[in-house]
Amino acid sequence: MFVFVCAGCGAELTTPLSEVALPIHTHQSYGNGVQLPVLMSAGTFAVDPEPWGGPWRMWDEIEPGEAEARGIHAPVHALSDATPGAVVIAPGDVRGTRLIPEKRGDSCCGLDGADGPNMACETCDSPVATRIDDCSLWQAVRLGSDAVHRVPVDGTHPGSLSWTELAETGEATPLFESIATWGSRLGTSHYWSWSPRWEAAAGHALAHLLVASQGQPVKVPDGVATDVFQRALDALLPAGAPKRRAVLAGPDLPSPDTEADILLVPIHPRTGRTWTPEDSTASAYLVPLPLGVWLTLVSPPPYLPVPASGRMPRDELRDDPLPLLPHWPFQADRRTLEHTLVRLPAVRRPWLRTILENLTHDASAALV
């Protein structure tokens, strides 16, 4: 467990926190006027290795080799020149700070951090963090890596569960959820949608699936995986045979098929490590998925109630009325797809660079 303190005066700025993996949807911008929830669970923190926020430099201002040294292997619109390594926490875990009113940024419903750090240490008044809670952004506080220090504290550290324990106790991420919006004259409203977490996870995984495809068609498992990935893969990759085959693999599942080309596997929510099969010589490409998303693929929820006669058994689903479903097909988050793809060295291959360029220059391309 750690408490983060001001680098200038040593004042405590957070409650005791334990480290977890950075969520895949951290950099997601979702919809328009949407109220996204808090990014991090209470009592946790994650380190973002990449710079975030201004100042920015356009791609043509980047020196040759600089982008690749930062792990970016294809052109992007702009690169952040902010200090990397920010500590991301839930807003409710902050202590001993105050907002800086003049650092409101370009936000419309809250704070977006566009003007840099907007929170100061109450003790010494040094800028220490950036709060983000504007519409369409996940709510979080980012402690500057150069403005705070972590200090170990006594406390009960949640142990890192084994893969078997995670498979048994982990919570699946629902495919659908109610989305709150700002701006209505009648107050906050809601609509039923595909989960933003799922869309971001799918964008991240789709980038890896494209690399794993080697430019060939890919067949994913039947069921939820088909709804989430197959249409986009069929649109982005050439048609025909043979197809590279993707299968689900992970804890408590049978050993992966040795003939499978691609394995859809979970990410450990605390360590951020990807599950790997015991046979370390396996040549299959591992596509990482957040644990909750992977659990839903492995054990999808029932879509239809089971008819029953007589007295309703306790464990039966009722047959009135059916859950609401979105009115549009699932789409992976395009920005997350592009963000992930440019950070994979394989994007330098001509066929994959062509896919990326089509996505970048045509907002309606594929993913439909």
Side-chain angles (χ1 to χ4, degrees):
M1 301 289 285
F2 299 93
V3 163
F4 290 87
V5 302
C6 175
C9 68
E12 292 189 1
L13 302 177
T14 72
T15 60
L17 306 171
S18 60
E19 187 169 9
V20 298
L22 187 73
I24 282 176
H25 52 278
T26 295
H27 299 280
Q28 183 183 28
S29 176
Y30 181 84
N32 181 29
V34 169
Q35 284 183 286
L36 289 177
V38 174
L39 174 69
M40 303 296 299
S41 298
T44 68
F45 75 92
V47 177
D48 189 348
E50 294 195 22
W52 179 91
W56 297 88
R57 280 189 294 157
M58 305 303 291
W59 179 255
D60 57 10
E61 300 173 334
I62 306 300
E63 296 294 330
E66 180 184 352
E68 189 162 334
R70 293 174 56 171
I72 298 173
H73 306 284
V76 295
H77 178 66
L79 281 178
S80 169
D81 264 353
T83 304
V87 176
V88 188
I89 67 175
D93 286 331
V94 176
R95 299 292 185 271
T97 63
R98 67 169 183 85
L99 289 172
I100 306 174
E102 58 270 24
K103 292 286 189 174
R104 185 175 181 274
D106 298 324
S107 55
C108 66
C109 300
L111 301 170
D112 64 2
D115 285 345
N118 54 25
M119 301 181 72
C121 171
E122 283 186 334
T123 303
C124 68
D125 218 31
S126 299
V128 292
T130 304
R131 175 160 180 156
I132 302 111
D133 55 19
D134 198 12
C135 58
S136 302
L137 302 177
W138 291 90
Q139 299 178 45
V141 168
R142 302 175 66 90
L143 302 170
S145 60
D146 54 354
V148 301
H149 297 313
R150 68 169 77 178
V151 177
V153 296
D154 294 333
T156 303
H157 177 72
S160 184
L161 298 178
S162 69
W163 283 113
T164 299
E165 291 171 322
L166 286 171
E168 293 174 351
T169 63
E171 294 186 4
T173 301
L175 272 165
F176 319 109
E177 61 183 85
S178 179
I179 303 296
T181 63
W182 292 94
S184 170
R185 288 182 296 177
L186 300 177
T188 301
S189 58
H190 298 77
Y191 66 91
W192 200 247
S193 172
W194 297 100
S195 165
R197 294 176 179 86
W198 260 93
E199 293 183 4
H204 182 266
L206 187 57
H208 284 276
L209 282 166
L210 289 173
V211 172
S213 75
Q214 300 180 2
Q216 302 176 39
V218 171
K219 175 68 172 69
V220 298
D222 294 333
V224 175
T226 301
D227 297 334
V228 171
F229 297 118
Q230 197 64 63
R231 293 172 56 255
L233 288 169
D234 291 345
L236 292 168
L237 295 170
K243 287 190 175 184
R244 290 176 64 80
R245 191 162 60 91
V247 301
L248 287 163
D252 285 1
L253 291 184
S255 297
D257 186 342
T258 56
E259 296 184 358
D261 305 292
I262 305 166
L263 303 182
L264 304 172
V265 298
I267 302 169
H268 197 291
R270 286 206 167 268
T271 67
R273 295 175 183 168
T274 300
W275 180 89
T276 56
E278 293 182 1
D279 180 6
S280 59
T281 62
S283 60
Y285 188 106
L286 303 183
V287 175
L289 292 164
L291 178 67
V293 168
W294 179 84
L295 287 171
T296 302
L297 289 175
V298 171
S299 300
Y303 286 98
L304 295 175
V306 177
S309 59
R311 187 170 183 177
M312 181 69 73
R314 184 182 63 179
D315 295 329
E316 295 290 350
L317 292 175
R318 296 184 61 87
D319 59 358
D320 62 340
L322 292 177
L324 295 174
L325 297 177
H327 297 295
W328 58 92
F330 181 90
Q331 290 189 349
D333 187 87
R334 181 186 296 265
R335 292 183 182 178
T336 305
L337 166 60
E338 295 172 359
H339 178 91
T340 306
L341 197 54
V342 300
R343 286 161 174 80
L344 298 176
V347 77
R348 294 190 292 248
R349 298 170 186 167
W351 66 269
L352 197 49
R353 179 66 65 86
T354 299
I355 291 176
L356 175 63
E357 290 173 352
N358 290 340
L359 285 170
T360 304
H361 296 126
D362 184 359
S364 62
L367 305 189
V368 295

